[in-house]
Amino acid sequence: MLRNPVPRAALALVLALGAAPAQAQEVLRDAETEAFFREMSAPIVTAAGLDPRNVNVVLLNDGEVNAFVAGGQTVYMNSGLIGEADHAEEVQGVFAHELGHIVGGHAIRGGEGSRPAVAITLLSLLLGAAAAAAGSPEAGLGIFMGGMTAAEGKYLAFSRAQEATADAASVKFLAGAGISGRGSVNFFQKLQNMEYRAGYRKSPDDEWYSTHPMTDDRLTTLKDAFEQDPAWKRPEDPALQRRFLRVKAKLYGYLAEPQQTLTAYPEYVNDIPAHYARAYAYHKQAFMDKALAETDAILAAEPDDAYALELKGQVLLESGRPADAIPPLRRAVALTQNQPLIATTFGHALLATEDRANFPEAERVLKAAVVKDHDNPFAWYQLGMVYEANGDTPRARLASAEQEAMQLQYVEALRNAEAAQAALPAGSPDWLRAQDIAMSTRAMVEHKRKKK
């Protein structure tokens, strides 16, 4: 189920390199969505010569139709992009473009474009100052402004070249994966239509001031290249498309107002995406019976649908019925081979019963979850509650330090890590981990203090 790492979340996509700081946006974690991203991206990553296990897609809560990379091997996508797409192939086209930035090392090569621009700016500043000192202030200002324009043009030309390179790479990667480029072309057509609806009309100076090549030029180039690929007329993968429609409906139901969801997915529509979306709408309105009826409708068609079981369990848990949530969540964990996000919800339900007989299972499940997905602060929070309930205060403090460090609460993380280290057996794995957290958070605290 869509959730925040602590404890609620959201999504994002961007068609530009380094277009937004991912750290400043809300991240959505959802087991089914992340599984879809892995499946749709794996053949493209392989075609690019990379290991699919090392390339991630992160969804952000941002209505802008966009996707971006910001260093490393992670592609960030906005919820607005998923909402605008109608086919999994469109998302694959966007992903292939962003992967082109990763393979080209564009994020770490940004200095290649900025350094010449800075050099031009500094030179124009020196020449302008010299002209002003010689008694021609207007000439000096003109030299400086001309230099600024030239510097801007230099950098933008560099950026456009990177975007064109990423476009060409996307053609290569999709062809290598045997995926049609129709989705990529269709999505660029949507971007073009969005420009027209916004009142944009191309002028001769537009490309000079743009970070990207003009959309119509990119569209023509891409279409010409893709139409020569044998995969151009290959039908889309129906199973992947079904999974995309489910993910899109979940996202819409999670983010939209309930009435908007019920308008977009009216009650007479009885496919699985519609049941998904309406389950979220009713759950947000606290109509538990209606929400459960929607999840049960999915399970009537597909009894072993792990993600529908997960959703049913979370509806029950958040409606104050944790004991009833345990069976569907336990089944979902088993079906997904201990998927860590689902396991975290299961552990939460076990703890929420306040039945100490459930605590050993909760500890076992949550430990397994953080091993598979270390960067999940809510799982660490729940695990800390188990430790505290069992009287294991040192490990409870260590779990809190893990959680707080991920949430950039460095002072609190340092305090808990030092307390854990003081009480844990010296040299033990947990003691060493507490020491690592203490050292890293102490450095961050000192850094922030110096900046102030």
Side-chain angles (χ1 to χ4, degrees), residues 142-351:
I143 292 171
F144 177 68
M145 296 303 294
M148 289 289 289
T149 301
E152 181 182 21
K154 187 76 172 176
Y155 179 77
L156 293 176
F158 175 80
S159 176
R160 289 192 297 272
Q162 286 194 327
E163 294 299 327
T165 300
D167 283 348
S170 73
V171 174
K172 178 183 177 183
F173 300 157
L174 289 173
I179 298 170
S180 173
R182 287 189 311 270
S184 182
V185 170
N186 289 342
F187 203 81
F188 270 103
Q189 288 175 334
K190 288 182 178 181
L191 293 177
Q192 188 177 54
N193 290 335
M194 290 170 65
E195 291 175 355
Y196 290 155
R197 289 198 300 270
Y200 167 75
R201 293 296 181 270
K202 183 177 178 181
S203 71
D205 294 332
D206 283 344
E207 185 164 8
W208 171 265
Y209 292 107
S210 176
T211 57
H212 290 55
M214 294 294 95
T215 302
D216 53 353
D217 295 336
R218 299 174 78 181
L219 191 53
T220 299
T221 301
L222 285 171
K223 190 172 182 182
D224 288 345
F226 280 128
E227 286 181 344
Q228 297 176 34
D229 178 34
W232 173 253
K233 294 184 179 180
R234 183 170 297 171
E236 68 181 359
D237 181 340
L240 190 65
Q241 176 63 10
R242 284 194 298 271
R243 295 186 66 180
F244 168 70
L245 293 176
R246 286 168 59 116
V247 165
K248 180 176 178 177
K250 288 179 78 171
L251 176 60
Y252 192 93
Y254 181 77
L255 293 179
E257 292 297 321
Q259 194 53 53
Q260 290 178 301
T261 302
L262 296 175
T263 299
Y265 296 90
E267 291 188 354
Y268 61 79
V269 179
N270 289 310
D271 57 19
I272 288 178
H275 287 306
Y276 251 138
R278 290 196 298 266
Y280 279 96
Y282 291 137
H283 184 43
K284 285 164 126 181
Q285 294 175 308
F287 296 153
M288 183 190 67
D289 291 342
K290 287 187 173 183
L292 291 175
E294 298 293 348
T295 61
D296 286 342
I298 301 173
L299 292 168
E302 300 181 14
D304 288 334
D305 188 324
Y307 304 116
L309 287 164
E310 178 201 14
L311 177 54
K312 180 176 182 176
Q314 190 145 2
V315 169
L316 288 164
L317 172 61
E318 294 179 356
S319 299
R321 294 170 55 183
D324 293 332
I326 288 174
L329 288 171
R330 182 181 280 122
R331 178 66 177 151
V333 169
L335 287 168
T336 58
Q337 298 181 331
N338 296 307
Q339 203 287 334
L341 291 175
I342 301 176
T344 298
T345 305
F346 179 38
H348 183 192
L350 290 166
L351 283 175

Side-chain angles (χ1 to χ4, degrees), residues 15-61:
L15 293 176
L17 172 65
Q23 297 85 349
Q25 294 171 307
E26 192 180 16
V27 175
L28 176 69
R29 299 295 311 276
D30 174 59
E32 183 174 15
T33 302
E34 292 178 5
F36 164 75
F37 281 141
R38 284 193 298 273
E39 183 178 343
M40 72 91 187
S41 64
I44 305 171
V45 175
T46 300
L50 300 178
D51 187 339
R53 293 172 297 181
N54 297 331
V55 179
N56 299 309
V57 181
V58 172
L59 215 52
L60 304 176
N61 184 17

Side-chain angles (χ1 to χ4, degrees), residues 12-25 60 62 64-71 74-78 97-98 101 106-107 155 159 162-163 211-212:
L13 284 170
V14 195
L15 293 176
L17 172 65
Q23 297 85 349
Q25 294 171 307
L60 304 176
D62 192 322
E64 183 180 5
V65 180
N66 218 355
F68 64 95
V69 298
T74 299
V75 173
Y76 297 90
M77 293 192 168
N78 290 350
H97 171 88
E98 298 306 325
H101 284 305
H106 293 170
Y155 179 77
S159 176
Q162 286 194 327
E163 294 299 327
T211 57
H212 290 55

Side-chain angles (χ1 to χ4, degrees), residues 91-109:
V91 182
Q92 287 177 309
V94 172
F95 174 80
H97 171 88
E98 298 306 325
L99 191 63
H101 284 305
I102 291 174
V103 172
H106 293 170
I108 59 176
R109 293 176 56 200

